[in-house]
Amino acid sequence: MTNIATPTKLIELKDISKSFYLAGGLEVPVLHHINLDVFEGDMIAILGPSGSGKSTLMNIIGGLDIATHGEYHFAGQAVDKMSGNELAELRSTDISFIFQSFHLLPGKTVYQNVMLPLIYQRSFTGDYDEYVTHALKRASLEEAHWHKKPNQLSGGQRQRVAIARALVARPKLLLADEPTGNLDSKTGENIIDSLTYLNEKYGTTIVIVTHDESLTEVVHRVVNIKDGLINETAGKK
C-alpha cells in the first residue's frame, strides 16, 4: 500500500473575530468566528465584494493586524501571542505581500527594488546577488529590464518586479492583494499565469485576496467571504 503524505498545515485560524472601535467605544464587528486552514503548496482565492471583510482577514493572516478574539498559528507559531518585534520578523522572513499599486521606489532600479527586503531583514546572512537573481528569474522578468527604473517598464513588468521583490526572501507564504486590479485584462492574465507557475513549479503557497471571480478558475480552493462570514468551495484547478 502506498503511503500518501499528510499535507503540512501552514496557517490555522481558529474562531477568529475582529472588531474596530469608534470614538465613544462603539464596536463595529468586521469578522465573525472565522475558521480556516491553509496547507503548504495551496493556492487559494479569498473572494468577496468591497466591505466584506476580506482585506481585514488578509491583514490578520499577514501579521499586519491582530484579531480581537481567536487563535492564529503560522507554521506552528502562535501569531496572536507575538510581540511587535516578533511580528515584524515574521513579515520580513516568512510572509511577503504583492499589492495592486506595486509600491516600487522610483529612484531605484529594478534590481535595487528587489534587494530592499534583504537589506531590511536583520537576520539575512545569504548572498544578495544570488537571492535577487533567483527571484527575478522566478518572476520571469527578462534580464534586459533588471537595471531599468520602474517608470521605464510596462504595468505588467512592474508587477513582475513586485512579485520578484515578494519572493526574494524566499517566504513560506505569498499574499497577493488584488494583484490584477490596476491592470488591463491581458496583463492581468499574464500575472495570474506567473503566480500559477510559482505555485506549480516551486510549491509556493499563495493566498490571493480579490473580487475578481475569474480567479476561481485557476486556484485550488475558493474562500467566499460576505459580511465577515466565510464559506468554502472547490476551485476549478
Side-chain angles (χ1 to χ4, degrees), residues 203-215:
T204 306
T205 306
I206 299 174
V207 175
I208 303 171
V209 179
T210 185
H211 67 275
D212 184 356
E213 294 191 8
S214 69
L215 292 182

Side-chain angles (χ1 to χ4, degrees), residues 154-204:
S154 68
Q157 289 165 342
R158 290 197 296 274
Q159 186 64 293
R160 290 183 192 279
V161 178
I163 290 173
R165 185 183 56 191
L167 291 173
V168 72
R170 302 182 185 177
K172 294 186 171 102
L173 174 67
L174 193 57
L175 268 174
D177 182 18
E178 299 283 8
T180 62
N182 286 339
L183 304 174
D184 61 76
S185 59
K186 181 60 178 175
T187 304
E189 288 173 10
N190 291 340
I191 295 304
I192 295 305
D193 286 345
S194 296
L195 294 176
T196 302
Y197 171 78
L198 290 171
N199 176 258
E200 291 179 347
K201 184 170 178 64
Y202 299 105
T204 306

Side-chain angles (χ1 to χ4, degrees), residues 42 48 162 217 220:
D42 265 345
E217 300 291 330
H220 306 142

Side-chain angles (χ1 to χ4, degrees), residues 133-152:
T133 299
H134 183 70
L136 285 163
K137 287 180 177 178
R138 271 194 174 191
S140 303
L141 185 72
E142 297 87 348
E143 194 167 347
H145 301 306
W146 291 5
H147 298 288
K148 293 181 179 179
K149 299 288 181 63
N151 65 358
Q152 297 174 291

